[in-house]
Amino acid sequence: SATTDTQLPLGRTFTDALLQLLAVGSGISLGREQAPRQASAAVLDRISRAVRIAEDNRRILVAAAAGAGLAAVYNVPLAGILFTLEAMPVRRSWRALLITATMSGVATVTAWPIVGNHSVYWVPDSPFDARVVWLLVPMLLAAVVIGRVFLAMMRSAHTWKVVDPRWLPVSVGLATAGVVTVSQFLPGVTGNGEDIVRSALDPATALPLLLTLLLVKPVLTAASLGSGAVGGTLTPALAVGAALGAASGVLIDAPPATIPVLAILGAAMVLAVMQKAPVFAAVIAWELTWAPLWLVPLMLAGATGAYLVAHRPWRS
């Protein structure tokens, strides 16, 4: 881990990150967001050790680098800050906030010539619809169930995954081939789930397709992890949540302008359960889409509620 005393091996970490990008590019059902996070964390770990920065400060820098890597790839500076402070095991302080905000902001601006200064997904400026409020609790409960099942599948995959390096080329190759084969009948299941999110944001997408994607994507992601491949589950979780939200809108015959809003809300809820970081989940769902501002309080409430119901932290 980047936040422990163990030094991150630079060469192996970069090789692992490159292999992750190649695997996702070939179609395996995992996210690519983990690669830039670990590569940037490894570089900061090596630099901070070389200049003999104090251990507490080094941990903050390395965690902030991981958040900055995420921020740069998706143009989500606020989410990069929150990822470090909410999802990483670092001591929260004003100093940590200042370091994290600076690194996330600089990384985001530096990446603009490559990724552009725009949201990853386009969402229309939808007017407020009271049906979104009515659906908040039913969607929250559904997101808890789906998120918990998804988490259980990921944990199960880690217990039986292939670890012998001699078999990894075969197992990962077979998993990739399996995902690509399924994609011939169910377009959009390959890669990190961006195609699923775009389908969910499209009001014309049929309910059977949304429900099928909702069920199949977690299975393929678990199989991909079980093959020994390494990758993120953040974007697959967003995709599954978006399919849930869009399906909810289609079920109640919501107007076309409301379905993308429900998709974003569902994405935030499922991600909050998966990442155990509700504020981060709500903020990255907003930054990826630049959704209407009236949706932000509902996203924060839905993500926080889903996290509390799913994990019941007050009982620990």
Side-chain angles (χ1 to χ4, degrees):
S1 171
T3 54
T4 66
D5 294 338
T6 305
Q7 181 172 320
L8 287 170
L10 198 60
R12 193 174 73 191
T13 302
F14 266 86
T15 301
D16 186 47
L18 178 60
L19 290 174
Q20 288 179 43
L21 294 175
L22 290 173
V24 175
S26 65
I28 205 163
S29 182
L30 291 169
R32 67 176 186 269
E33 69 278 352
Q34 187 167 309
R37 290 205 313 253
Q38 70 181 48
S40 54
V43 171
L44 256 293
D45 183 55
R46 180 62 60 89
I47 293 173
S48 60
R49 289 179 189 275
V51 298
R52 298 184 179 181
I53 292 177
E55 186 63 26
D56 287 347
N57 291 335
R58 184 192 67 80
R59 294 186 181 193
I60 294 173
L61 284 171
V62 173
L70 175 67
V73 170
Y74 293 112
N75 191 32
V76 288
L78 294 178
I81 297 168
L82 288 165
F83 178 82
T84 300
L85 297 179
E86 191 178 22
M88 296 287 284
V90 295
R91 183 177 299 172
R92 298 170 184 86
S93 64
W94 287 110
R95 181 179 59 177
L97 175 61
L98 179 62
I99 293 171
T100 303
T102 302
M103 291 179 64
S104 184
V106 170
T108 301
V109 173
T110 303
W112 277 350
I114 300 172
V115 302
N117 182 20
H118 53 76
S119 61
V120 174
Y121 304 104
W122 180 82
V123 174
D125 189 14
S126 308
F128 174 75
D129 188 339
R131 276 167 285 211
V132 178
V133 180
W134 301 340
L135 276 176
L136 187 66
V137 172
M139 279 180 55
L140 186 154
L141 298 176
V144 168
V145 173
I146 291 167
R148 289 295 299 265
V149 170
F150 203 162
L151 270 178
M153 293 172 69
M154 299 306 103
R155 290 170 182 155
S156 175
H158 279 294
T159 63
W160 52 263
K161 72 177 181 180
V162 178
V163 293
D164 191 332
R166 296 171 298 178
W167 290 102
L168 284 177
V170 176
S171 60
V172 174
L174 288 174
T176 303
V179 174
V180 172
T181 301
V182 173
S183 72
Q184 304 304 306
F185 307 94
L186 191 62
V189 296
T190 56
N192 63 359
E194 283 190 19
D195 289 340
I196 295 178
V197 175
R198 296 189 194 283
S199 296
L201 294 174
D202 182 358
T205 304
L207 179 61
L209 176 59
L210 291 169
L211 293 176
T212 306
L213 292 170
L214 174 64
L215 296 172
V216 172
K217 187 62 176 175
V219 174
L220 294 178
T221 304
S224 299
L225 283 176
S227 73
V230 178
T233 56
L234 189 157
T235 40
L238 279 168
V240 170
L244 166 66
S248 302
V250 176
L251 275 171
I252 67 163
D253 197 24
T258 301
I259 289 177
V261 168
L262 290 169
I264 300 165
L265 182 60
M269 289 179 176
V270 172
L271 185 61
V273 177
M274 292 284 292
Q275 291 285 320
K276 300 181 183 179
V279 181
F280 162 73
V283 169
I284 194 172
W286 179 79
E287 281 193 303
L288 286 170
T289 58
W290 293 359
L293 289 177
W294 62 262
L295 182 62
V296 174
L298 295 176
M299 292 167 65
L300 288 168
T304 303
Y307 163 72
L308 292 175
V309 173
H311 300 290
R312 292 179 286 182
W314 64 84
R315 296 187 62 181
S316 58

